[in-house]
Amino acid sequence: MNNSPTQKVKDIGEQGLLKIIQSFCPADIIGDDAAILTTTPEKSLIVTTDMLIDGVHFSDATTSPEDAGWRATAANLSDLAAMCASPLGITVGLGLPGDLNVNWVEKLYQGITQCLQKYNTPIVGGDIVQSPITTLSITAFGEANPNLIIRRSTAQIGDAIVVTGIHGASRAGLELLLNPEIGKNLKTQEKASLITAHQRPQPRLDVISILSEILLPTTPTLHHPISGMDSSDGLADAVLQICHASQVGAILEQSKIPTPSAFKHWLTPERSLNYALYGGEDFELVLCLPPKIASVLVEKLGTGAAIIGKITPGSEVIVKDENEKIPNQVLTLSQGFQHFS
């Protein structure tokens, strides 16, 4: 380690801290949305952990305890979906102030359970400790076909880039919760839809069966592995992380990025694109795969899914506007949310 003993976490940021922590882990296990542990030749165990802190990831102003439980659970299930893994169970770790209402905890677990019920997934354990700040940490366990596991590091030049749904909705919902007056020109149904996207995101576990249907009957062992991750930290972050891990570049077409229909008469094109690229917490999947397979996948997924670009040589990730109304952008991780920045 070459870090100064007086260097602070904020000095190196989230990505710098991750590099240090990853040096203590097996290189072939870490680096994706979840860890892969081989249990039998037919199946792999997938494990992921996500933590939410009061005042950072949720607050009473925008998130009920039920919604906090749902969102924390959805974040973990989304990481499993990003690895093409079906959920088996979760554990819940809680750090709680002693003067917190018991009713808040009960409602938190109601939200967790409501999200899990759809996927027939149980809570199988956890831990509770006293903490000055309410902290929620969930570990999710899933099972995957080794031939279908999605990795960030396998994108290939010429791959099409697919998103499984619209982007920017969660950020818009958060803005409406924080500043209700900005939505005065929106219809009631539009506002409700955007707020629900933020409070009750849907992990894309449905994509697993569709990918299995498309790929496994004819190719039990894939010669062209799928690359991808989820877009919980933003669409731009997902594409950049994939390209960095795969040592490739990408071109995204601004007009192809699906956003909520309400954006067209509510936000400027620039703001709409910003929400889509950097808003985060949309919990869709970003996948890189051969163009023909990508087209079939988009057709089967239906409304919201789209091919938004392609993988290219080099390392730059560029967003282009074919109508030339918005200048081309070269994306960087520093433009999106990073802890400690």
Side-chain angles (χ1 to χ4, degrees):
M1 299 297 175
N2 298 318
N3 297 294
S4 164
T6 60
Q7 193 172 43
K8 309 298 183 185
V9 170
K10 64 182 180 181
D11 296 331
I12 61 174
E14 180 181 0
Q15 297 301 316
L17 186 62
L18 283 173
K19 288 180 180 178
I20 293 174
I21 293 171
Q22 287 172 352
S23 69
F24 292 92
C25 305
D28 59 337
I29 290 180
I30 54 101
D32 290 295
D33 285 75
I36 303 168
L37 303 175
T38 301
T39 53
T40 70
E42 295 79 24
K43 294 291 181 181
S44 293
L45 178 65
I46 309 298
V47 184
T48 182
T49 299
D50 204 52
M51 183 178 293
L52 279 78
I53 308 295
D54 187 11
V56 178
H57 301 97
F58 63 91
S59 71
D60 291 339
T62 62
T63 314
S64 69
E66 293 96 331
D67 290 337
W70 179 292
R71 291 180 70 244
T73 305
N76 281 268
L77 296 183
S78 181
D79 281 340
L80 293 182
M83 303 294 292
C84 212
S86 300
L88 297 172
I90 71 166
T91 60
V92 181
L94 285 180
L96 303 174
D99 59 358
L100 184 70
N101 289 335
V102 173
N103 182 253
W104 191 96
V105 180
E106 290 180 323
K107 290 182 176 180
L108 175 80
Y109 271 81
Q110 288 171 6
I112 293 172
T113 302
Q114 289 165 3
C115 187
L116 291 174
Q117 282 176 340
K118 182 177 179 181
Y119 309 104
N120 194 31
T121 302
I123 301 171
V124 297
D127 191 23
I128 299 175
V129 298
Q130 184 174 348
S131 168
I133 300 174
T134 301
T135 304
L136 171 61
S137 178
I138 292 180
T139 296
F141 304 87
E143 191 174 58
N145 182 321
N147 294 320
L148 280 180
I149 291 175
I150 298 169
R151 306 295 296 258
R152 298 182 188 182
S153 58
T154 56
Q156 300 183 35
I157 295 169
D159 278 355
I161 302 172
V162 171
V163 291
T164 57
I166 62 173
H167 280 76
S170 179
R171 169 64 184 277
L174 176 60
E175 293 294 335
L176 289 170
L177 288 166
L178 293 173
N179 307 289
E181 69 280 358
I182 67 173
K184 60 184 179 181
N185 295 327
L186 291 173
K187 298 177 182 178
T188 301
Q189 185 176 356
E190 290 174 330
K191 285 192 286 187
S193 177
L194 294 173
I195 289 172
T196 298
H198 178 71
Q199 294 179 331
R200 297 273 170 143
Q202 302 293 323
R204 296 308 304 265
L205 289 162
D206 58 304
V207 177
I208 298 172
S209 60
I210 295 174
L211 282 173
S212 299
E213 177 188 341
I214 295 172
L215 297 171
L216 287 183
T218 55
T219 54
T221 302
L222 300 183
H223 299 292
H224 190 123
I226 304 169
S227 184
M229 61 180 289
D230 81 348
S231 59
S232 56
D233 288 331
L235 175 57
D237 176 89
V239 177
L240 284 162
Q241 297 282 10
I242 293 166
C243 287
H244 176 74
S246 299
Q247 299 184 343
V248 293
I251 294 177
L252 307 182
E253 297 182 40
Q254 182 269 332
S255 63
K256 300 292 179 63
I257 298 174
T259 56
S261 58
F263 282 15
K264 294 178 182 178
H265 60 84
W266 181 44
L267 302 177
T268 64
E270 290 81 4
R271 179 63 62 86
S272 176
L273 181 60
N274 182 271
Y275 279 14
L277 290 175
Y278 302 113
E281 297 186 327
D282 288 302
F283 296 108
E284 295 292 340
L285 302 186
V286 181
L287 304 173
C288 304
L289 57 176
K292 289 184 179 179
I293 298 175
S295 296
V296 174
L297 176 61
V298 167
E299 182 179 356
K300 287 184 176 292
L301 287 172
T303 304
I307 295 174
I308 63 167
K310 63 182 179 180
I311 296 297
T312 61
S315 59
E316 283 191 337
V317 177
I318 302 171
V319 180
K320 292 188 174 182
D321 178 14
E322 60 183 14
N323 299 317
E324 298 184 350
K325 293 182 179 179
I326 300 176
N328 292 345
Q329 296 185 39
V330 177
L331 305 185
T332 65
L333 287 174
S334 62
Q335 293 169 288
F337 174 79
Q338 295 286 320
H339 289 283
F340 313 114
S341 62

